[in-house]
Amino acid sequence: MAASTVTETRETDLLASVPDGLFIGGEWRAATGDRTLRVFDPATGRVVKTIADASPEDGKAALDAAVAAADDWAKTPARERAEILRRAFDLLQERKEDFALLMTIEMGKPLAEARGEVGYGGEFLRWFSEETARVQGRYGANPEGTGRMIVSQHPVGPCFLITPWNFPLAMATRKIAPALAAGCTVVIKPAELTPLTTLYFAKLLQDAGLPAGVVNVFTTSTSGAVSEPIIRDPRLRKLSFTGSTSVGQRLLEQAAQGVLRTSMELGGNAPFVVFEDADLDKAVDGAMLAKFRNIGQACTAANRFIVHRSVAEEFANRVTERVQAMRIGRGTEDGVQIGPLIDDKAVAKAEELVGDAIERGATLRTGGQRPDGDDTLSAGTFYEPTVITDVQAGSDILREEIFGPVLAIVPFDTEDDAVRIANDTEYGLVSYVFTESLSRGQRMIDRLETGMMGLNVGVVSNAAAPFGGWKMSGLGREGGAEGIHEYLQTKYTLTANPYS
Ligand code: NAD
């Protein structure tokens, strides 16, 4: 095993300081019947902590607390709400190393990337602390001059937030911060695979002075059974979900009954288009980021590398060389770039997709298997970073989200072909385009059916930008000036003409 600056004692002490209960109405409590669930380290397969496993009654108690706190929080002056968010941002900077290590332990990402996530996740606290005081309405005469129109913004009310396992901190702050900024109280349910970061973050919010009941957290191994009654409860006013499209569709059906406001950040199948006039140095750097960040487990991960035939071979050679130099291991070890996948199912999926592509005629350049001959990796769910070229139309890997470190290259001949291949998916979250031609870049902005685009860059996420997808990648936007409006509702009031 490679050297690590993180000692076992440091890990044990950190894990001991993470709460293991449900956070409801400002108090930490056990689940009904003292039910528990275990959290694992995907790099070692070891149990790292046992925490509360909520039942439907616990879920209801969490919603009760959010409802009870809603009026007071909505009335709390914007400046006060902003200052709590800002204190949370400051505390997160102080605890940055703890949050980073905790994410590496429960999710597997390399420590350097986990630190990056603390930076990114924290920015939502800062951004929305600044946006809090900027919520405005308008006032003016109606066109007929017979009255005065007032347009005002109001918090939507109690919200239910459901987050995935791949970005345990950032997906939580991207929802909690705008909700709190808008004056809404929340119940949040983190993924059962990586619940510790959200529990630790709830403790931070307590330390930042957040009043009881404004944020409530439950963890559970039975997400569907506990969530559905909350979604169907008429007191709930908003559901914000990040996760797979299939679960999102099911939750939208449940939300339809109460005509709930919904935000859906769902799956992706990002095209990464390299034109013949691209700067290949930039394209290769962008590809490494867009593909291998978070071990390929990001909704924004480039899924299909659509590369002009004249540069496809050189591009493939250069990424293969970079991939072969990557270090696999537990994320706490120095220099590791590829940690474990989240679980065995994820490894099996990567194996199946690569196997299917090869069977249909693709060429394996590197990787394509679980790392062998290394005992320290055999207990974890590792998969070698992989490059495959000449992927044929109809291969599963072009249609499904890979969610693993597999870079799949498809050659193209004309700009129209590139656009057709890129748009040939039900998803529309993000696209990446590499070209040195301004007019071609502008055409791609018009023609690619995605909610976000990286033009000569491999990562687009920013707290100040509206994150979200087109087509089956979702509804609504998180971050940017748009983000807070997901948690506000508009009221128009007509008042009489003051002179009549
Ligand atoms: P998932 O859909 O399996 O789970 C997401 C969350 O939903 C988890 O908390 C899970 O416990 C919960 N859940 C599962 N079934 C549920 C049910 N019946 N009722 C209520 N909650 C339920 O997704 P995942 O595997 O955790 O995350 C990976 C997926 O998330 C990928 O598809 C990825 O693209 C997507 N994702 C999207 C974004 C985005 O912003 N668009 C960001 C990150 C991840």
CSV table of all heavy atoms in Angstrom, one decimal, residues 162-166 171 174 189-192 223-224 227 241-244 247 250-251 265-268 299 401 403 429 467, ligand 1:
chain,number,residue,atom,x,y,z
A,162,ILE,N,-33.9,15.2,-1.4
A,162,ILE,CA,-33.3,13.9,-1.5
A,162,ILE,C,-32.0,13.9,-2.3
A,162,ILE,O,-32.0,14.5,-3.5
A,162,ILE,CB,-34.3,12.9,-2.2
A,162,ILE,CG1,-35.6,12.8,-1.4
A,162,ILE,CG2,-33.7,11.5,-2.3
A,162,ILE,CD1,-36.7,11.9,-2.0
A,163,THR,N,-30.9,13.4,-1.8
A,163,THR,CA,-29.6,13.6,-2.5
A,163,THR,C,-29.0,12.2,-2.8
A,163,THR,O,-29.3,11.2,-2.1
A,163,THR,CB,-28.7,14.4,-1.6
A,163,THR,OG1,-28.6,13.8,-0.3
A,163,THR,CG2,-29.1,15.8,-1.5
A,164,PRO,N,-28.1,12.2,-3.8
A,164,PRO,CA,-27.4,11.0,-4.2
A,164,PRO,C,-26.1,10.8,-3.4
A,164,PRO,O,-25.7,11.7,-2.6
A,164,PRO,CB,-27.1,11.2,-5.6
A,164,PRO,CG,-26.9,12.7,-5.7
A,164,PRO,CD,-27.7,13.3,-4.7
A,165,TRP,N,-25.4,9.7,-3.7
A,165,TRP,CA,-24.2,9.3,-2.9
A,165,TRP,C,-22.9,9.9,-3.6
A,165,TRP,O,-21.9,9.9,-2.9
A,165,TRP,CB,-24.0,7.8,-2.8
A,165,TRP,CG,-24.1,7.1,-4.2
A,165,TRP,CD1,-25.3,6.5,-4.7
A,165,TRP,CD2,-23.1,7.0,-5.2
A,165,TRP,NE1,-25.0,6.1,-6.0
A,165,TRP,CE2,-23.7,6.3,-6.3
A,165,TRP,CE3,-21.8,7.4,-5.3
A,165,TRP,CZ2,-23.0,6.1,-7.5
A,165,TRP,CZ3,-21.1,7.1,-6.4
A,165,TRP,CH2,-21.7,6.5,-7.5
A,166,ASN,N,-23.0,10.4,-4.8
A,166,ASN,CA,-21.7,10.7,-5.5
A,166,ASN,C,-21.0,12.0,-5.1
A,166,ASN,O,-19.8,12.1,-5.1
A,166,ASN,CB,-21.9,10.6,-7.0
A,166,ASN,CG,-22.9,11.5,-7.5
A,166,ASN,OD1,-23.7,12.1,-6.8
A,166,ASN,ND2,-22.9,11.7,-8.9
A,171,MET,N,-24.2,18.1,-3.1
A,171,MET,CA,-25.6,18.0,-3.4
A,171,MET,C,-26.5,18.4,-2.3
A,171,MET,O,-27.6,18.8,-2.5
A,171,MET,CB,-25.9,16.5,-3.8
A,171,MET,CG,-25.1,16.0,-5.0
A,171,MET,SD,-25.4,17.0,-6.5
A,171,MET,CE,-24.0,18.1,-6.5
A,174,ARG,N,-26.2,22.4,-2.2
A,174,ARG,CA,-26.8,23.0,-3.3
A,174,ARG,C,-28.3,23.1,-3.2
A,174,ARG,O,-29.0,23.9,-3.9
A,174,ARG,CB,-26.5,22.1,-4.6
A,174,ARG,CG,-26.5,22.9,-5.9
A,174,ARG,CD,-25.7,22.1,-6.9
A,174,ARG,NE,-26.5,21.0,-7.5
A,174,ARG,CZ,-26.0,20.3,-8.5
A,174,ARG,NH1,-24.8,20.5,-9.1
A,174,ARG,NH2,-26.8,19.3,-9.0
A,189,LYS,N,-32.9,13.9,3.1
A,189,LYS,CA,-32.6,12.5,3.2
A,189,LYS,C,-31.4,12.2,2.3
A,189,LYS,O,-31.5,12.2,1.1
A,189,LYS,CB,-33.8,11.6,2.7
A,189,LYS,CG,-33.6,10.1,2.9
A,189,LYS,CD,-34.4,9.2,2.0
A,189,LYS,CE,-33.6,9.0,0.7
A,189,LYS,NZ,-32.3,8.3,0.8
A,190,PRO,N,-30.2,12.0,2.9
A,190,PRO,CA,-29.1,11.6,2.1
A,190,PRO,C,-29.2,10.2,1.6
A,190,PRO,O,-30.0,9.4,2.1
A,190,PRO,CB,-27.9,11.8,3.1
A,190,PRO,CG,-28.5,11.6,4.4
A,190,PRO,CD,-29.9,12.0,4.4
A,191,ALA,N,-28.3,9.8,0.7
A,191,ALA,CA,-28.3,8.4,0.2
A,191,ALA,C,-27.8,7.5,1.3
A,191,ALA,O,-26.9,7.9,2.1
A,191,ALA,CB,-27.4,8.3,-1.0
A,192,GLU,N,-28.3,6.3,1.4
A,192,GLU,CA,-27.9,5.4,2.5
A,192,GLU,C,-26.5,4.9,2.3
A,192,GLU,O,-25.9,4.5,3.3
A,192,GLU,CB,-28.9,4.2,2.5
A,192,GLU,CG,-29.0,3.4,1.3
A,192,GLU,CD,-30.0,3.9,0.3
A,192,GLU,OE1,-30.2,5.1,0.2
A,192,GLU,OE2,-30.7,3.1,-0.4
A,223,SER,N,-35.7,3.8,1.6
A,223,SER,CA,-36.0,5.2,1.1
A,223,SER,C,-37.4,5.3,0.6
A,223,SER,O,-38.1,6.3,0.9
A,223,SER,CB,-35.1,5.5,0.0
A,223,SER,OG,-33.8,5.6,0.5
A,224,GLY,N,-37.9,4.3,-0.1
A,224,GLY,CA,-39.2,4.5,-0.8
A,224,GLY,C,-40.3,4.5,0.3
A,224,GLY,O,-41.2,5.3,0.3
A,227,SER,N,-40.1,7.8,2.3
A,227,SER,CA,-40.3,9.0,1.5
A,227,SER,C,-41.7,9.2,1.0
A,227,SER,O,-42.2,10.4,1.0
A,227,SER,CB,-39.3,9.0,0.4
A,227,SER,OG,-38.0,9.0,0.8
A,241,PHE,N,-35.1,16.7,-5.9
A,241,PHE,CA,-34.4,15.4,-5.9
A,241,PHE,C,-33.2,15.5,-6.8
A,241,PHE,O,-33.3,16.1,-7.9
A,241,PHE,CB,-35.4,14.4,-6.5
A,241,PHE,CG,-34.9,13.1,-6.8
A,241,PHE,CD1,-34.6,12.1,-5.8
A,241,PHE,CD2,-34.6,12.7,-8.1
A,241,PHE,CE1,-34.0,10.9,-6.1
A,241,PHE,CE2,-34.0,11.4,-8.4
A,241,PHE,CZ,-33.8,10.5,-7.4
A,242,THR,N,-32.1,14.9,-6.4
A,242,THR,CA,-31.0,14.6,-7.3
A,242,THR,C,-30.7,13.1,-7.3
A,242,THR,O,-30.5,12.5,-6.2
A,242,THR,CB,-29.8,15.4,-6.9
A,242,THR,OG1,-30.1,16.8,-7.0
A,242,THR,CG2,-28.6,15.1,-7.8
A,243,GLY,N,-30.7,12.5,-8.5
A,243,GLY,CA,-30.5,11.1,-8.5
A,243,GLY,C,-30.8,10.5,-9.9
A,243,GLY,O,-30.7,11.3,-10.9
A,244,SER,N,-31.1,9.3,-10.0
A,244,SER,CA,-31.3,8.7,-11.3
A,244,SER,C,-32.6,9.1,-11.9
A,244,SER,O,-33.6,9.4,-11.2
A,244,SER,CB,-31.2,7.1,-11.2
A,244,SER,OG,-32.2,6.7,-10.3
A,247,VAL,N,-35.7,6.8,-10.7
A,247,VAL,CA,-36.3,7.1,-9.4
A,247,VAL,C,-37.0,8.5,-9.5
A,247,VAL,O,-38.1,8.7,-9.0
A,247,VAL,CB,-35.2,7.1,-8.3
A,247,VAL,CG1,-35.8,7.6,-7.0
A,247,VAL,CG2,-34.7,5.7,-8.1
A,250,ARG,N,-40.5,8.1,-10.8
A,250,ARG,CA,-41.4,7.6,-9.8
A,250,ARG,C,-41.8,8.7,-8.8
A,250,ARG,O,-43.0,8.8,-8.4
A,250,ARG,CB,-40.7,6.4,-9.0
A,250,ARG,CG,-41.7,5.5,-8.4
A,250,ARG,CD,-41.0,4.3,-7.8
A,250,ARG,NE,-39.9,3.8,-8.6
A,250,ARG,CZ,-38.8,3.1,-8.0
A,250,ARG,NH1,-38.7,2.9,-6.7
A,250,ARG,NH2,-37.8,2.7,-8.8
A,251,LEU,N,-40.8,9.5,-8.4
A,251,LEU,CA,-41.2,10.5,-7.4
A,251,LEU,C,-42.1,11.6,-8.0
A,251,LEU,O,-42.9,12.2,-7.3
A,251,LEU,CB,-39.9,11.1,-6.8
A,251,LEU,CG,-38.9,10.2,-6.1
A,251,LEU,CD1,-37.8,10.9,-5.5
A,251,LEU,CD2,-39.7,9.4,-5.1
A,265,GLU,N,-32.9,16.9,-10.6
A,265,GLU,CA,-31.5,16.9,-11.2
A,265,GLU,C,-31.3,15.4,-11.5
A,265,GLU,O,-31.0,14.7,-10.5
A,265,GLU,CB,-30.5,17.5,-10.3
A,265,GLU,CG,-30.7,19.0,-10.0
A,265,GLU,CD,-30.3,19.9,-11.2
A,265,GLU,OE1,-29.8,19.4,-12.2
A,265,GLU,OE2,-30.6,21.1,-11.1
A,266,LEU,N,-31.4,15.0,-12.7
A,266,LEU,CA,-31.4,13.5,-13.0
A,266,LEU,C,-30.1,13.1,-13.8
A,266,LEU,O,-29.1,13.8,-13.7
A,266,LEU,CB,-32.7,13.2,-13.7
A,266,LEU,CG,-34.0,13.7,-13.0
A,266,LEU,CD1,-35.2,13.4,-13.8
A,266,LEU,CD2,-34.1,13.1,-11.6
A,267,GLY,N,-30.2,12.0,-14.5
A,267,GLY,CA,-29.1,11.4,-15.1
A,267,GLY,C,-28.6,12.2,-16.3
A,267,GLY,O,-29.2,13.1,-16.8
A,268,GLY,N,-27.4,11.8,-16.8
A,268,GLY,CA,-26.8,12.5,-17.9
A,268,GLY,C,-26.2,11.4,-18.9
A,268,GLY,O,-26.0,10.2,-18.5
A,299,CYS,N,-22.9,13.0,-12.7
A,299,CYS,CA,-23.9,13.1,-13.7
A,299,CYS,C,-23.4,13.9,-14.9
A,299,CYS,O,-23.8,13.8,-16.0
A,299,CYS,CB,-25.1,13.8,-13.1
A,299,CYS,SG,-24.7,15.3,-12.3
A,401,GLU,N,-25.8,5.6,-18.9
A,401,GLU,CA,-24.8,6.3,-18.1
A,401,GLU,C,-23.8,5.3,-17.6
A,401,GLU,O,-24.2,4.3,-17.0
A,401,GLU,CB,-25.5,6.9,-16.9
A,401,GLU,CG,-25.5,8.3,-16.7
A,401,GLU,CD,-26.1,8.8,-15.4
A,401,GLU,OE1,-27.0,8.2,-14.9
A,401,GLU,OE2,-25.7,9.8,-14.9
A,403,PHE,N,-21.1,5.8,-15.4
A,403,PHE,CA,-20.9,6.0,-14.0
A,403,PHE,C,-19.6,5.2,-13.6
A,403,PHE,O,-19.6,4.5,-12.5
A,403,PHE,CB,-22.1,5.6,-13.2
A,403,PHE,CG,-22.6,6.9,-12.5
A,403,PHE,CD1,-23.0,8.0,-13.2
A,403,PHE,CD2,-22.7,7.0,-11.1
A,403,PHE,CE1,-23.4,9.2,-12.6
A,403,PHE,CE2,-23.2,8.1,-10.5
A,403,PHE,CZ,-23.5,9.2,-11.2
A,429,LEU,N,-28.1,16.8,-20.1
A,429,LEU,CA,-27.6,17.6,-19.0
A,429,LEU,C,-26.5,18.6,-19.4
A,429,LEU,O,-26.6,19.8,-19.3
A,429,LEU,CB,-27.1,16.7,-17.9
A,429,LEU,CG,-26.7,17.3,-16.6
A,429,LEU,CD1,-27.9,18.0,-15.9
A,429,LEU,CD2,-26.2,16.3,-15.6
A,467,PHE,N,-27.3,25.4,-12.8
A,467,PHE,CA,-27.0,24.0,-13.1
A,467,PHE,C,-28.3,23.2,-13.3
A,467,PHE,O,-29.2,23.3,-12.5
A,467,PHE,CB,-26.3,23.4,-11.9
A,467,PHE,CG,-25.7,22.0,-12.1
A,467,PHE,CD1,-24.4,21.8,-12.3
A,467,PHE,CD2,-26.6,20.9,-12.1
A,467,PHE,CE1,-23.9,20.5,-12.5
A,467,PHE,CE2,-26.1,19.6,-12.4
A,467,PHE,CZ,-24.7,19.4,-12.6
B,1,NAD,P1,-30.7,6.9,-7.0
B,1,NAD,O1,-31.7,7.5,-7.9
B,1,NAD,O2,-30.5,5.5,-6.9
B,1,NAD,O3,-30.7,7.6,-5.6
B,1,NAD,C1,-30.8,8.9,-5.3
B,1,NAD,C2,-31.4,9.2,-4.0
B,1,NAD,O4,-32.8,8.7,-4.1
B,1,NAD,C3,-30.8,8.4,-2.8
B,1,NAD,O5,-30.9,9.2,-1.7
B,1,NAD,C4,-31.7,7.2,-2.7
B,1,NAD,O6,-31.7,6.6,-1.4
B,1,NAD,C5,-33.0,7.8,-3.0
B,1,NAD,N1,-34.1,6.9,-3.4
B,1,NAD,C6,-34.0,5.7,-4.2
B,1,NAD,N2,-35.2,5.2,-4.4
B,1,NAD,C7,-36.1,6.0,-3.8
B,1,NAD,C8,-37.5,6.0,-3.6
B,1,NAD,N3,-38.3,5.0,-4.1
B,1,NAD,N4,-38.1,7.0,-2.9
B,1,NAD,C9,-37.3,8.0,-2.4
B,1,NAD,N5,-36.0,8.1,-2.5
B,1,NAD,C10,-35.4,7.1,-3.2
B,1,NAD,O7,-29.3,7.6,-7.6
B,1,NAD,P2,-27.8,7.4,-7.1
B,1,NAD,O8,-27.4,6.1,-7.5
B,1,NAD,O9,-27.7,7.7,-5.6
B,1,NAD,O10,-27.1,8.6,-7.8
B,1,NAD,C11,-26.6,8.4,-9.1
B,1,NAD,C12,-27.6,9.1,-10.1
B,1,NAD,O11,-27.7,10.5,-9.7
B,1,NAD,C13,-27.0,9.1,-11.5
B,1,NAD,O12,-28.1,8.9,-12.4
B,1,NAD,C14,-26.6,10.6,-11.6
B,1,NAD,O13,-26.5,11.0,-13.0
B,1,NAD,C15,-27.6,11.3,-10.8
B,1,NAD,N6,-27.0,12.6,-10.4
B,1,NAD,C16,-27.5,13.7,-11.0
B,1,NAD,C17,-27.0,14.9,-10.7
B,1,NAD,C18,-27.6,16.2,-11.3
B,1,NAD,O14,-27.4,17.2,-10.8
B,1,NAD,N7,-28.3,16.1,-12.5
B,1,NAD,C19,-26.0,15.1,-9.7
B,1,NAD,C20,-25.5,13.9,-9.1
B,1,NAD,C21,-26.1,12.7,-9.5
